[in-house]
C-alpha cells in the first residue's frame, strides 16, 4: 500500500508497510515528474531499492555483533543478507502505522521491542511545503533501563557524471574491511573528499562518515539544471557510493558516528534516554531549479 502526497510542485510516494520508506520523490514540471531521489517501484519490498528510509534506533553498523551498556551485554543479530554486522536498527525493516494523513502531510508510528535494550515508540512525519519536503523522525524510550539511541535518514540519489556535492565538514573517518571506523583525519583543502566548496564524487568506492558538518548541503545536477538543498539538525553525514559506474549515491544525515556504541558513545553522538524521554531530528529537502 502506497500513499501519495502532492502539492502541485512536489510529489511524494510513501510505503508505510516497507519501513515507512519513500518510494519516489519528484518535482512536478512541464515535462512531467522529475526524480529528486532515486525512484523505486510501488511493489518493491526491499527498502534498499527505494528512495529513502528512516534510521532508528541507530545508524549504520555495530561491530562485534553487539555492545555493553551500563554493565549489561547486548547481542544483536545480523539483519541484512550479505552483511555480517547488525546495521541501521530495525525501523527500516518493519511496517509502520498510518496515524495521520492529508493531501500534503503524513504521520506514521511504530512500536518496537525485539532488539534489547531498545524498547521504543517512533514517529515519522513527511510534509510538503511549497518547494520543500520536511521530514521529522522522533523516538521515545519505553524500557525500564536507560538505552543509547541514534537517528538518521538514508536517502538514495541519482548519480550522473556531472553530479556535485557541497557539504562542509571538519574531518572524516577512515574504515577497515568491515566498514568500521579506524582513524579520524582532518580534511585538507584541496582534497578529493573535501566537499566544502562543491565537487564531484570520487571515482572509487566511498562509504565514510564525515564530522563537523554545519547542517547544510547542496546536491546539484548541472545537466538537469537542478539543485537540491539539504538542511538537517545533525553534525554528521555519511556518503556512500560503490564507484563511478553506480547509478546512485547516498548522502545520509545522521546523529552519531559509525560503531559509536562500542567507543565513547555519548561523545560520538549517541543520546541516552530514560523511560519516557524523547529524541528527534528534522531534515528539509528543498528543490531549486536554475
Amino acid at each position: 500500500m502506497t500513499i501519495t502526497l502532492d502539492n502541485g510542485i512536489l510529489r511524494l510516494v510513501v510505503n508505510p508497510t516497507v519501513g515507512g520508506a519513500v518510494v519516489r520523490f519528484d518535482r512536478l514540471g512541464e515535462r512531467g515528474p522529475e526524480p529528486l531521489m532515486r525512484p523505486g517501484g510501488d511493489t518493491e519490498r526491499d527498502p534498499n531499492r527505494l528512495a529513502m528510509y528512516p534510521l532508528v534506533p541507530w545508524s549504520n553498523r555495530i561491530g562485534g555483533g553487539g555492545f555493553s551498556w551500563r554493565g549489561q551485554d547486548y547481542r544483536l543479530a545480523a539483519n541484512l543478507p550479505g552483511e555480517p554486522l547488525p546495521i541501521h536498527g530495525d525501523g527500516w525493516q518493519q511496517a509502520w502505522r498510518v496515524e495521520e494523513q492529508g493531501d500534503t502531510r503524513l504521520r506514521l508510528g511504530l512500536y518496537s521491542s525485539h532488539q534489547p535494550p531498545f524498547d521504543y515508540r517512533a514517529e515519522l512525519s513527511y510534509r510538503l511545503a511549497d518547494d520543500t519536503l520536511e521530514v521529522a523522525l522522533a523516538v521515545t524510550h519505553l524500557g525500564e533501563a536507560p538505552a543509547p539511541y541514534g537517528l538518521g535518514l538514508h536517502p538514495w540519489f541519482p548519480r550522473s557524471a556531472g553530479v556535485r556535492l557541497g557539504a562542509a565538514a571538519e574531518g572524516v573517518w577512515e574504515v577497515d574491511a568491515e566498514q568500521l571506523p579506524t582513524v579520524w583525519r582532518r580534511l585538507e583543502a584541496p582534497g578529493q573528499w573535501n566537499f566544502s566548496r562543491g565537487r564531484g564524487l570520487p571515482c572509487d568506492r566511498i562509504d565514510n562518515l564525515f564530522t563537523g558538518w554545519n547542517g547544510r548541503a547542496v546536491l546539484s545536477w548541472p545537466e538537469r539544471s537542478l539543485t537540491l538543498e539539504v538542511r538537517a539538525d545533525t553534525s554528521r553525514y555519511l556518503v556512500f557510493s560503490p564507484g563511478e559506474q553506480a547509478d546512485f549515491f547516498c548522502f545520509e544525515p545522521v546523529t552519531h558516528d559509525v560503531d559509536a556504541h562500542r567507543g565513547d558513545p555519548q561523545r560520538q553522538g549517541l543520546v541516552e534516554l530514560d523511560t519516557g524521554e524523547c529524541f528527534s531530528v528534522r531534515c528539509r529537502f528543498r528543490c531549486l531549479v536554475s
Side-chain angles (χ1 to χ4, degrees):
M1 177 195 72
T2 61
I3 296 173
T4 299
L5 308 183
D6 190 324
N7 69 351
I9 300 173
L10 302 173
R11 180 178 295 157
L12 186 78
V13 181
V14 177
N15 192 333
T17 64
V18 183
V22 173
V23 177
R24 295 187 62 104
F25 176 39
D26 298 321
R27 172 184 174 267
L28 304 178
E30 295 178 356
R31 294 175 293 181
E34 186 170 11
L36 299 173
M37 293 178 181
R38 182 197 63 179
D42 286 351
T43 60
E44 179 61 60
R45 304 299 298 175
D46 182 358
N48 282 312
R49 295 184 180 274
L50 296 179
M52 182 171 66
Y53 55 79
L55 303 175
V56 57
W58 80 81
S59 160
N60 213 273
R61 296 164 178 83
I62 296 179
F67 64 97
S68 298
W69 189 258
R70 290 186 173 269
Q72 294 290 321
D73 291 330
Y74 297 99
R75 298 295 91 193
L76 298 169
N79 58 333
L80 179 64
E83 170 60 60
L85 301 175
I87 187 169
H88 294 329
D90 64 351
W92 66 291
Q93 295 179 315
Q94 298 199 62
W96 293 60
R97 301 181 317 278
V98 177
E99 297 190 341
E100 180 183 354
Q101 179 182 348
D103 293 338
T104 61
R105 67 174 63 228
L106 176 66
R107 182 163 56 87
L108 307 177
L110 171 70
Y111 286 90
S112 178
S113 61
H114 68 275
Q115 285 184 322
F118 306 108
D119 181 353
Y120 68 89
R121 179 177 70 249
E123 184 174 286
L124 174 62
S125 299
Y126 298 107
R127 176 175 176 261
L128 299 180
D130 297 324
D131 57 1
T132 301
L133 165 63
E134 301 176 352
V135 185
L137 177 62
V139 62
T140 301
H141 181 54
L142 304 178
E144 294 182 3
Y149 284 83
L151 299 174
L153 294 175
H154 198 311
W156 305 71
F157 297 102
R159 177 164 181 169
S160 63
V163 69
R164 295 179 64 84
L165 168 62
E170 293 179 358
V172 61
W173 279 99
E174 301 285 2
V175 296
D176 61 18
E178 291 186 301
Q179 293 302 131
L180 296 176
T182 54
V183 176
W184 181 89
R185 65 175 174 87
R186 187 172 299 278
L187 289 170
E188 302 294 338
Q192 68 164 342
W193 284 9
N194 191 331
F195 300 105
S196 296
R197 298 184 180 180
R199 62 175 299 118
L201 296 169
C203 296
D204 299 327
R205 177 184 175 90
I206 182 172
D207 191 358
N208 298 75
L209 184 126
F210 293 74
T211 63
W213 182 37
N214 63 7
R216 179 179 184 269
V218 176
L219 287 59
S220 60
W221 295 265
E223 69 276 20
R224 298 168 63 196
S225 299
L226 190 64
T227 298
L228 192 66
E229 180 188 56
V230 181
R231 289 187 178 271
D233 52 6
T234 75
S235 60
R236 297 165 173 83
Y237 65 80
L238 192 139
V239 179
F240 167 58
S241 186
E244 62 182 343
Q245 301 304 318
D247 63 358
F248 72 88
F249 73 99
C250 300
F251 178 86
E252 308 164 38
V254 295
T255 63
H256 64 89
D257 294 349
V258 177
D259 203 23
H261 299 75
R262 299 194 310 147
D264 187 345
Q266 290 169 303
R267 183 179 178 186
Q268 292 180 290
L270 290 174
V271 176
E272 183 181 71
L273 297 181
D274 262 318
T275 307
E277 290 186 327
C278 180
F279 173 46
S280 64
V281 295
R282 292 181 177 273
C283 187
R284 295 173 174 82
F285 301 89
R286 183 185 179 201
C287 177
L288 306 173
V289 180
S290 56

